[in-house]
């Protein structure tokens, strides 16, 4: 009898453990019980929908088209400092800018098979649906900046230029010297080190790790002040004020948005960004990487190494800047102007 009870208890524990690791299904937009669709969407090759927002001058008048990729826990509405102070730059350069909800965020359907390659193909398909021509610019911030590496790998022939703004790095990219990536990794808050370890080594445990109460989970999801630099702490109220009336980033659930970002961003990639070739050998376009030297979330030391390995990247390091430096209008103005030096 004791053996039978023991077996039953073990089976019950196993079932509980399995269920605890399984995320709830996402609440799909426009489905029963799901959030409504309020913005235009395109239907992608696999049947998913991608929601987008158009900014800047009309497409037919634009001299350059930019696809903007948002960061972690944000949406197509979070377009950094594209507000009144620099709208004159958009008009001056005649820029058409389209932002979109990455899969699982906002009003875009989740992609359960999301990879760096699938994200690049989503961007290409969005460009083709909107008729942006054979070439366009991509610009991404933070986790959205990491997406740009996939564009440089999988659709370089479609790019007129690319801008990476404080792009998240994967500490397991093989091109990093072990001592450099380990040192940078160890500077992260200990609870975030565990979040990244789980996402990389045991991704199926990511949902449980970020929802359990036994250990501290992601400090980024919890928005802890320890992840902010001195400048970020000064800017955080400005950023919050700009976003207070914007739609929620995760109405469909956190697993296919926030947690999937961890799994994809810090998982095993099919390529190493430091092995990429210059997509513009004849200087017909340019690549820019912007980084704050006091960024707590994304180590500047790793960005410097990437810039050394890829000398065709125009590297801009801002003294005293943290992770939120694009929220400063002057900074975002310079970021917008950099790919168009002859038109300033």
């Amino acid at each position: 009898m004791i053996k039978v009870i023991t077996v039953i208890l073990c089976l019950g524990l196993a079932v509980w453990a399995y269920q605890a690791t399984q995320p709830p299904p996402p609440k799909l937009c426009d489905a029963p019980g799901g959030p409504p669709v309020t913005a235009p969407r395109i239907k992608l090759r696999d049947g998913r929908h991608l929601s987008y927002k158009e900014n800047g001058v009309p497409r037919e008048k634009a001299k350059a088209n930019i696809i903007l990729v948002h960061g972690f826990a944000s949406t197509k509405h979070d377009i950094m400092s594209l507000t009144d102070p620099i709208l004159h730059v958009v008009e001056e350069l005649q820029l058409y800018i389209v932002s979109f909800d990455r899969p699982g965020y906002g009003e875009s359907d989740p992609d359960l098979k999301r990879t760096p390659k699938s994200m690049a193909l989503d961007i290409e398909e969005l460009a083709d649906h909107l008729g942006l021509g054979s070439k366009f610019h991509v610009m991404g911030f933070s986790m959205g900046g990491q997406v740009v590496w996939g564009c440089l790998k999988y659709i370089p022939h479609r790019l007129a230029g690319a801008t990476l703004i404080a792009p998240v790095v994967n500490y397991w990219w093989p091109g990093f010297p072990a001592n450099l990536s380990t040192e940078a990794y160890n500077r992260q808050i200990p609870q975030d080190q565990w979040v990244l370890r789980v996402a990389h080594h045991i991704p199926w445990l990511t949902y449980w790790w970020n929802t359990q109460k036994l250990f501290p989970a992601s400090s980024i999801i919890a928005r802890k002040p320890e992840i902010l630099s001195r400048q970020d702490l000064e800017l955080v109220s400005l950023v919050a004020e700009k976003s207070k009336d914007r739609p929620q980033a995760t109405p469909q659930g956190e697993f296919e948005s926030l947690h999937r970002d961890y799994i994809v961003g810090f998982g095993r990639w099919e390529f190493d960004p430091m092995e990429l070739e210059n997509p513009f050998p004849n200087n017909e376009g340019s690549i820019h990487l912007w980084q704050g030297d006091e960024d707590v979330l994304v180590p500047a030391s790793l960005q410097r190494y990437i810039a050394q390995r890829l000398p065709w990247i125009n590297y801009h390091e801002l003294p005293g800047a943290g992770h939120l430096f694009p929220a400063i209008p002057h900074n975002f103005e310079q970021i917008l102007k950099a790919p168009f030096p002859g038109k300033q």
Side-chain angles (χ1 to χ4, degrees):
M1 179 62 70
I2 294 177
K3 289 184 178 180
V4 172
I5 293 175
T6 301
V7 170
I8 292 174
L9 288 174
C10 289
L11 288 174
L13 182 61
V15 170
W16 171 85
Y18 173 78
Q19 291 176 341
T21 64
Q22 302 304 301
K27 300 177 181 178
L28 298 179
C29 287
D30 222 20
V37 173
T38 63
R41 306 199 301 176
I42 67 166
K43 191 170 185 179
L44 297 170
R45 60 197 175 280
D46 58 3
R48 289 181 295 115
H49 294 87
L50 202 69
S51 179
Y52 65 93
K53 179 181 179 182
E54 298 175 288
N55 309 276
V57 303
R59 268 177 279 164
E60 59 273 13
K61 295 182 179 180
K63 294 183 180 178
N65 299 311
I66 299 176
I67 296 181
L68 187 61
V69 192
H70 69 77
F72 187 80
S74 57
T75 71
K76 61 182 177 291
H77 298 286
D78 298 320
I79 49 177
M80 294 173 281
S81 293
L82 193 58
T83 51
D84 291 342
I86 61 166
L87 285 178
H88 70 281
V89 177
V90 175
E91 291 289 340
E92 174 188 334
L93 297 177
Q94 293 291 282
L95 302 178
Y96 166 82
I97 302 175
V98 59
S99 52
F100 68 98
D101 290 331
R102 292 192 288 112
Y105 280 103
E107 299 177 24
S108 287
D109 292 338
D111 182 358
L112 280 63
K113 299 179 181 179
R114 175 153 54 112
T115 64
K117 182 175 184 178
S118 71
M119 276 300 315
L121 297 181
D122 284 357
I123 288 173
E124 181 178 38
E125 198 164 350
L126 175 64
D128 289 340
H129 178 89
L130 296 176
L132 302 189
S134 60
K135 291 183 180 291
F136 49 86
H137 294 259
V138 289
M139 180 179 294
F141 169 63
S142 192
M143 193 61 79
Q146 193 188 64
V147 169
V148 177
W149 290 120
C151 295
L152 290 168
K153 169 64 177 179
Y154 296 110
I155 57 168
H157 57 290
R158 300 299 308 272
L159 302 182
T163 301
L164 304 94
I165 309 167
V168 170
V169 295
N170 185 326
Y171 297 94
W172 289 271
W173 285 338
F176 286 132
N179 62 328
L180 185 67
S181 58
T182 300
E183 179 185 4
Y185 177 83
N186 288 336
R187 289 179 184 168
Q188 298 296 300
I189 297 174
Q191 67 190 76
D192 289 333
Q193 293 180 29
W194 277 104
V195 170
L196 302 186
R197 283 192 191 102
V198 169
H200 182 78
H201 295 291
I202 40 177
W204 55 268
L205 202 59
T206 299
Y207 169 74
W208 177 82
W209 190 270
N210 286 285
T211 54
Q212 51 75 36
K213 307 300 180 184
L214 300 175
F215 315 103
S218 169
S219 65
I220 302 174
I221 294 177
R223 300 180 183 274
K224 292 196 171 184
E226 293 91 333
I227 63 174
L228 301 176
S229 72
R230 291 176 298 173
Q231 185 189 76
D232 289 341
L233 288 169
E234 297 172 357
L235 292 173
V236 69
S237 58
L238 172 65
V239 173
E241 178 65 24
K242 287 182 178 180
S243 60
K244 67 177 182 179
D245 296 324
R246 292 173 182 165
Q248 182 186 356
T250 59
Q252 302 180 76
E254 292 191 351
F255 180 73
E256 288 299 339
S257 50
L258 308 182
H259 302 168
R260 184 69 67 183
D261 267 1
Y262 276 119
I263 293 170
V264 175
F266 298 99
R268 302 179 189 278
W269 282 35
E270 297 177 347
F271 71 98
D272 181 354
M274 282 161 279
E275 298 296 331
L276 291 173
E277 297 181 356
N278 184 0
F280 306 119
N282 299 315
N283 297 319
E284 62 271 35
S286 59
I287 312 295
H288 296 264
L289 196 161
W290 297 78
Q291 176 68 32
D293 71 345
E294 294 187 6
D295 193 331
V296 178
L297 290 172
V298 182
S301 60
L302 298 184
Q303 308 287 33
R304 295 183 196 124
Y305 184 80
I306 291 173
Q308 291 172 4
R309 286 284 303 270
L310 304 176
W312 39 270
I313 286 182
N314 296 281
Y315 181 61
H316 313 265
E317 188 168 302
L318 305 184
H323 196 66
L324 302 179
F325 66 86
I328 299 175
H330 172 74
N331 288 344
F332 195 49
E333 177 179 335
Q334 297 306 308
I335 292 169
L336 274 179
K337 286 182 174 181
F340 312 104
K343 300 179 182 179
Q344 296 182 29

